[in-house]
Amino acid sequence: MLYLYQGSTSVCSVKVRLALAEKGLAFDGEILDLQRGDQHRPDYAKLNPNEVVPTLIHDGKVVIESTLIIEYLDEAFPKPSLMPADPYARAGARLFMKKIDDTLHSACSTITFATANRRVLIKRSPEELAAHLAKIPNVDYRERQRLSIEQGLAAPHVANAVRQYDNYVVDMEAALADKPWLAGDAYSLADAAATPYIFRAEAIGMDGLWIGRRPKVADWYARIRARPSFAAAVTDPISAADRDRFNVPRDETWAKVKEVLGL
Ligand SMILES: N[C@@H](CCC(=O)N[C@@H](CS)C(=O)NCC(=O)O)C(=O)O
């Protein structure tokens, strides 16, 4: 049995739901409310000491870290395979996933907290906010969240996050120049991993990174959106509260992107 602790819009959770949907795997699970702080519940912290989602339980075995989870799923349930057969193409798929773990994920959370999540968290009293932040075990993550919530898009680390987002889209455009999917002729874990970050960029007003500028990425995203996994894993789980949180002034985000990139 597969059980997934997840967030409704959390990019890392969407990544895992996409892999599950693409592999046709049924699962049960629980949506944690990250703004309420469910990820810090003692029962959950025992499973995931980083106190972040997602966490997969497979027949009692606990797997954390979204990239490791999707690789685990692909190995535990080999058909259909979501990794290319060719070793060099596999390295290419892993590179796209590594870049997410190394840079894009933190860039994404920085900008998400400076825009959508800020809309909710800024309404809290200073004491409530401090208590919420104090529970985050990772000190760097906690500090980035604090600055993004307090200063929004003016926070000092936002500019670098915008550049890292743009670099990832540049890498995607280059990879798609000679093949339809990020790691070859077939959809792979690399495509599943990149999808939530492109969806998030679109949601907060950064889709100008590819629309009119990077046609291969625009075409890739249109094909991604048309797959049944997209509705199942990305849009169906979005709640009314999520829609409100993501109802951000998109023109302000894009103005920041233009300023940082000199567009
Ligand atoms: N490297 C981890 C990152 C997980 C992560 O940052 N999850 C976010 C949601 S995408 C989270 O749970 N944040 C909790 C919080 O905001 O306090 C993974 O890939 O699983």
Side-chain angles (χ1 to χ4, degrees):
M1 181 196 154
L2 291 167
Y3 191 93
L4 185 67
Y5 290 92
Q6 56 196 297
S8 53
T9 62
S10 133
V11 278
C12 302
S13 304
V14 172
K15 188 199 291 188
V16 174
R17 291 200 298 260
L18 280 168
L20 288 162
E22 289 284 345
K23 293 183 80 68
L25 292 170
F27 66 101
D28 209 344
E30 178 184 349
I31 301 244
L32 303 191
D33 183 335
L34 303 182
Q35 274 71 49
R36 191 169 60 197
D38 290 356
Q39 67 276 32
H40 305 302
R41 267 181 2 214
D43 64 312
Y44 184 70
K46 269 192 209 145
L47 299 172
N48 188 325
N50 300 328
E51 300 180 25
V52 291
V53 286
T55 297
L56 179 79
I57 316 282
H58 177 212
D59 292 341
K61 292 168 286 196
V62 181
V63 190
I64 63 168
E65 285 295 320
S66 58
T67 301
L68 305 189
I69 294 172
I70 61 175
E71 290 188 320
Y72 173 82
L73 286 170
D74 204 45
E75 290 169 7
F77 303 93
K79 296 249 161 43
S81 171
L82 291 182
M83 282 294 273
D86 172 61
Y88 187 61
R90 293 168 82 85
R94 291 200 181 98
L95 186 57
F96 270 104
M97 296 193 275
K98 179 167 166 48
K99 282 179 189 162
I100 290 174
D101 291 336
D102 287 350
T103 59
L104 183 64
H105 179 69
S106 79
C108 177
S109 77
T110 289
I111 302 174
T112 302
F113 273 92
T115 54
N117 291 358
R118 181 172 199 255
R119 283 167 57 78
V120 174
L121 295 167
I122 204 79
K123 291 180 187 145
R124 305 215 172 141
S125 71
E127 295 74 25
E128 285 170 336
L129 188 56
H132 177 79
L133 291 171
K135 290 186 191 150
I136 299 171
N138 181 320
V139 179
D140 290 342
Y141 186 36
R142 186 195 306 161
E143 183 60 6
R144 274 191 292 112
Q145 276 203 29
R146 187 181 66 75
L147 290 168
S148 286
I149 295 161
E150 286 176 2
Q151 302 181 33
L153 291 169
H157 49 308
V158 166
N160 199 39
V162 167
R163 282 186 215 104
Q164 287 174 328
Y165 234 113
D166 188 51
N167 287 342
Y168 198 85
V169 178
V170 168
D171 289 347
M172 290 177 71
E173 184 76 2
L176 294 165
D178 60 354
K179 51 191 174 305
W181 301 102
L182 290 176
D185 290 335
Y187 181 99
S188 76
L189 293 183
D191 301 287
T195 294
Y197 295 91
I198 294 300
F199 176 71
R200 173 62 51 80
E202 178 186 40
I204 60 181
M206 292 173 59
D207 43 0
L209 289 179
W210 61 88
I211 294 174
R213 296 180 77 222
R214 311 238 164 79
K216 299 283 183 190
V217 174
D219 176 71
W220 171 90
Y221 190 44
R223 285 181 284 116
I224 287 281
R225 290 192 73 110
R227 295 174 81 85
S229 64
F230 190 85
V234 184
T235 49
D236 288 354
I238 297 174
S239 68
D242 295 329
R243 280 185 209 289
D244 185 46
R245 183 161 47 95
F246 278 93
N247 187 17
V248 299
R250 294 165 44 83
D251 50 335
E252 284 178 21
T253 323
W254 184 240
K256 181 70 185 182
V257 173
K258 284 208 298 188
E259 174 205 311
V260 171
L261 300 180
L263 301 177

